[in-house]
Amino acid sequence: MSLPWKLQETFSPEEIQFIVENEPIKIFPRFTTRSKVRGNRGNKTGQTRWKLLTASDEPLNNLVAIQTTEVAFWIALLLKQQGKCSIVAPGWLRLTQLQRFIDYELKNTERFSELPWNWLVVAQLLFSKAADDLQDPVHLLRGKVQDLREIRLGKIGQGLKHLNESHLQLDNLSLLEINELRPFVLGVMNKLKQVHGSIADEQEEEQ
Amino acid sequence: MNIDIDDILADLDRDTTAIDSSINSHAANDTTILGSDGIDTDKFRHLPVLSAVGDFEKLMAHWRNERMSPELLPYPHLLMERTLRRVQEQLEHIECVSMGYLEDPSAENSTSESSNNALSNKLPLLCMEADLERLKFVLRSFLRCRLAKIDKYSLYLRQFNDEHVLLPLSELLSRQELEYHDRHSAIMLKLLNRAILRHMPPELQAVDDNDGSVKMVDEPEWNRFVFVYVNGPKAKQDSDPRLQVNEMGQQFYPVTIQELQEEAELTIGGIYVMRYNVVRDLILDDMVQLI
């Protein structure tokens, strides 16, 4: 069919990354695009203006070196690749903060901590593309993120016992975690629903 | 004594943003040199929130809903029209900007400073191209997903041409999709007729026979499970009459699961696995997002 079979029921991890890349993030630009009011008339610098369709282009036309700005994540990665900016890691990507999340996860076995919905993807992208911009050593951060991931995976495994035919509540689960669960959870719940439906039909017939 | 002045402050805030947005829209008009002689933008100015970014966000929401929902959702006619026009304009804009580089004399000087300058001058071009590719990817993926569903439900969609349905087929599909649906099902029918069906007894020749032991018309699986995120109404919290408040002080939508006679609460900001037919109305009203 026109959509590959693999993508019919779920997103691919690359598409999840695509979705996450549209989110804003803070950067330190290393160049200036804001045109000076004085220089504007007279000599034409011929500087190209930014005109974007998917992201706000206003901050990009007003970049001042070493002044934080918020831009879309994919632009930040692109600029970073060119050595034109450094990315400011989000507040939760610090050793102390991650440790707090881990403590919370260990203390509350019934629920997930309030990590942002894109934490796994953001962490992965920053580790691989902007490792030198993080304030804490990357290998320690990687360790903490892996810890969090495993604790949450354990809880998800516990939660799968509760699959049923009516509904399920999964607050604070991140998009990537949902995406890897999706085929399994939906498949099982759909089957349970069918079984439940046929039992109900039989009972009605008996009465 | 505490005087609550939040509403007064909010009033003041609104004023400043009004001025800001008017400045921005002027700036945006200045950059759209090509193709648009100001008439298009004038026509839409009185309508709220039609920025390219806002439209892209809506497109993303439509794309994600379409990918995950079991049924074919209504085609966003106006949104797609605007987006396609923007893609065209941006294409021309990029072409024009890159023409400028040919004439740019600074690129010929090979001193390190000016080549550095040239690189920073090409950054916007690089980004604009990447940006356009991203937008085109979403559009392509969205349309391909819809085509796959049109294939799947082609017999079911033919029933939409009957009198009694709520939504006419032309609302549900775009013009090109309608054509695809017609011609594709004609080709399929021809294949089936020539290969097998004409050897059947006449009462068994129909491809959309629903009276037999197995239904031949594939309907969307209305009660399939989907993951939903409850985002609630956009701005005014108290505008939605369906919203209620529970004992924890959280706002939620009460929904009923018909088959089980069960009540469930969808609190705002929560993630649920739900049957599609339970949340369908909320999805169409944009209160809930499929993820």
Side-chain angles (χ1 to χ4, degrees):
Chain A
M1 278 211 252
S2 54
L3 196 69
W5 171 82
K6 261 192 231 166
L7 298 181
Q8 297 239 328
E9 307 276 297
T10 187
F11 287 109
S12 68
E14 290 82 12
E15 283 169 328
I16 297 293
Q17 186 181 330
F18 180 88
I19 293 169
V20 171
E21 279 178 354
N22 286 324
E23 293 297 304
I25 194 164
K26 278 203 180 118
I27 59 165
F28 281 121
R30 293 195 191 148
F31 64 114
T32 307
T33 59
R34 173 180 286 171
S35 48
K36 296 186 200 82
V37 179
R38 199 187 295 167
N40 219 356
R41 82 165 76 120
N43 67 327
K44 243 173 85 183
T45 49
Q47 212 184 25
T48 323
R49 307 303 291 167
W50 302 67
K51 177 171 174 282
L52 299 181
L53 292 181
T54 65
S56 162
D57 41 17
E58 200 184 328
L60 287 165
N61 281 323
N62 288 314
L63 290 182
V64 176
I66 318 298
Q67 209 174 79
T68 51
T69 333
E70 262 196 359
V71 298
F73 201 179
W74 66 269
I75 298 175
L77 290 175
L78 210 148
L79 292 178
K80 173 79 192 165
Q81 222 171 16
Q82 309 278 339
K84 289 287 181 189
C85 79
S86 41
I87 297 174
V88 183
W92 54 267
L93 201 59
R94 306 284 299 276
L95 282 180
T96 47
Q97 196 60 37
L98 286 175
Q99 188 57 50
R100 228 170 280 160
F101 279 123
I102 291 175
D103 292 343
Y104 182 91
E105 295 276 1
L106 291 175
K107 223 177 280 166
N108 302 282
T109 49
E110 293 298 302
R111 59 179 74 186
F112 297 103
S113 57
E114 291 186 8
L115 279 162
W117 60 272
N118 50 14
W119 69 279
L120 259 174
V121 184
V122 169
Q124 193 265 331
L125 278 175
L126 287 182
F127 289 162
S128 61
K129 302 261 171 72
D132 49 334
D133 290 340
L134 299 171
Q135 281 158 346
D136 301 308
V138 180
H139 63 281
L140 295 179
L141 284 174
R142 262 184 211 277
K144 294 280 183 216
V145 167
Q146 187 65 25
D147 288 351
L148 261 177
R149 169 117 177 94
E150 273 163 22
I151 296 169
R152 284 164 77 101
L153 270 181
K155 280 188 198 173
I156 290 169
Q158 291 288 313
L160 289 182
K161 281 183 199 157
H162 303 293
L163 289 186
N164 57 31
E165 71 283 342
S166 77
H167 67 280
L168 214 60
Q169 185 170 7
L170 297 161
D171 289 356
N172 294 326
L173 209 56
S174 81
L175 191 56
L176 200 68
E177 289 163 313
I178 286 174
N179 207 52
E180 63 189 15
L181 276 177
R182 187 186 333 258
F184 178 72
V185 167
L186 296 188
V188 171
M189 285 179 75
N190 280 326
K191 272 280 173 279
L192 279 173
K193 180 194 70 195
Q194 274 176 18
V195 171
H196 188 269
S198 64
I199 291 173
D201 285 348
E202 258 174 43
Q203 279 172 348
E204 260 176 37
E205 277 171 25
E206 277 171 21
Q207 277 167 7
Chain B
M1 189 170 78
N2 266 333
I3 302 172
D4 192 10
I5 58 165
D6 281 351
D7 50 338
I8 302 172
L9 290 177
D11 248 7
L12 290 170
D13 274 350
R14 251 198 306 283
D15 278 354
T16 51
T17 52
I19 291 165
D20 260 348
S21 68
S22 76
I23 288 171
N24 292 342
S25 74
H26 278 300
N29 279 348
D30 289 342
T31 52
T32 56
I33 326 149
L34 304 151
S36 68
D37 26 11
I39 302 164
D40 293 4
T41 41
D42 271 354
K43 197 164 59 185
F44 291 111
R45 185 166 295 160
H46 57 98
L47 297 171
V49 209
L50 285 176
S51 68
V53 182
D55 273 354
F56 177 68
E57 271 161 23
K58 271 189 236 156
L59 183 69
M60 283 296 282
H62 275 290
W63 174 57
R64 292 172 71 176
N65 279 343
E66 190 72 61
R67 285 291 294 277
M68 290 304 136
S69 78
E71 69 159 334
L72 188 67
L73 295 168
Y75 183 77
H77 289 275
L78 289 175
L79 176 66
M80 288 298 278
E81 211 173 282
R82 287 199 301 268
T83 313
L84 290 176
R85 201 187 60 224
R86 281 203 191 100
V87 168
Q88 192 60 39
E89 276 172 12
Q90 181 80 340
L91 257 176
E92 286 165 11
H93 180 71
I94 287 178
E95 204 146 293
C96 234
V97 169
S98 49
M99 292 287 271
Y101 286 117
L102 290 178
E103 297 153 12
D104 199 1
S106 73
E108 285 161 22
N109 301 339
S110 56
T111 56
S112 64
E113 194 187 342
S114 76
S115 74
N116 195 18
N117 207 3
L119 176 69
S120 73
N121 255 341
K122 285 196 176 134
L123 262 180
L125 193 66
L126 185 68
C127 273
M128 284 192 289
E129 277 168 3
D131 167 72
L132 191 63
E133 284 309 311
R134 289 173 72 86
L135 179 59
K136 273 156 69 177
F137 164 73
V138 179
L139 283 172
R140 265 200 308 267
S141 183
F142 178 61
L143 293 176
R144 287 180 62 161
C145 174
R146 291 179 61 86
L147 286 185
K149 283 188 187 172
I150 292 172
D151 279 351
K152 198 169 163 192
Y153 301 128
S154 71
L155 289 174
Y156 169 73
L157 287 174
R158 279 202 346 203
Q159 296 176 342
F160 268 71
N161 283 326
D162 297 350
E163 300 270 308
H164 59 272
V165 288
L166 292 171
L167 205 61
L169 202 53
S170 53
E171 279 292 302
L172 197 66
L173 302 179
S174 73
R175 205 164 39 78
Q176 291 90 341
E177 285 166 348
L178 268 177
E179 192 177 332
Y180 173 81
H181 174 233
D182 281 347
R183 311 227 327 231
H184 185 261
S185 52
I187 292 171
M188 277 305 276
L189 266 182
K190 203 165 150 191
L191 173 69
L192 290 174
N193 271 327
R194 294 237 172 121
I196 304 163
L197 289 176
R198 63 176 175 165
H199 304 301
M200 293 284 186
E203 68 271 19
L204 294 181
Q205 278 186 359
V207 287
D208 51 357
D209 189 0
N210 264 351
D211 305 326
S213 55
V214 178
K215 281 195 173 185
M216 291 174 84
V217 178
D218 252 345
E219 243 189 81
E221 216 183 312
W222 292 110
N223 51 7
R224 200 171 75 186
F225 281 102
V226 285
F227 279 88
V228 295
Y229 172 73
V230 188
N231 46 3
K234 284 281 161 320
K236 288 262 164 59
Q237 291 292 309
D238 43 6
S239 64
D240 197 358
R242 278 171 296 186
L243 266 182
Q244 295 180 13
V245 179
N246 66 6
E247 60 268 27
M248 308 268 286
Q250 292 164 313
Q251 290 182 305
F252 69 97
Y253 293 101
V255 292
T256 325
I257 304 167
Q258 292 270 321
E259 287 91 335
L260 307 168
Q261 259 100 59
E262 218 177 80
E263 298 270 336
E265 292 178 1
L266 299 179
T267 45
I268 285 186
I271 294 170
Y272 296 85
V273 189
M274 267 287 167
R275 289 162 197 246
Y276 181 72
N277 54 357
V278 175
V279 287
R280 182 166 184 267
D281 293 337
L282 291 172
I283 289 170
L284 292 180
D285 292 344
D286 218 7
M287 301 299 165
V288 164
Q289 161 97 52
L290 292 179
I291 52 175

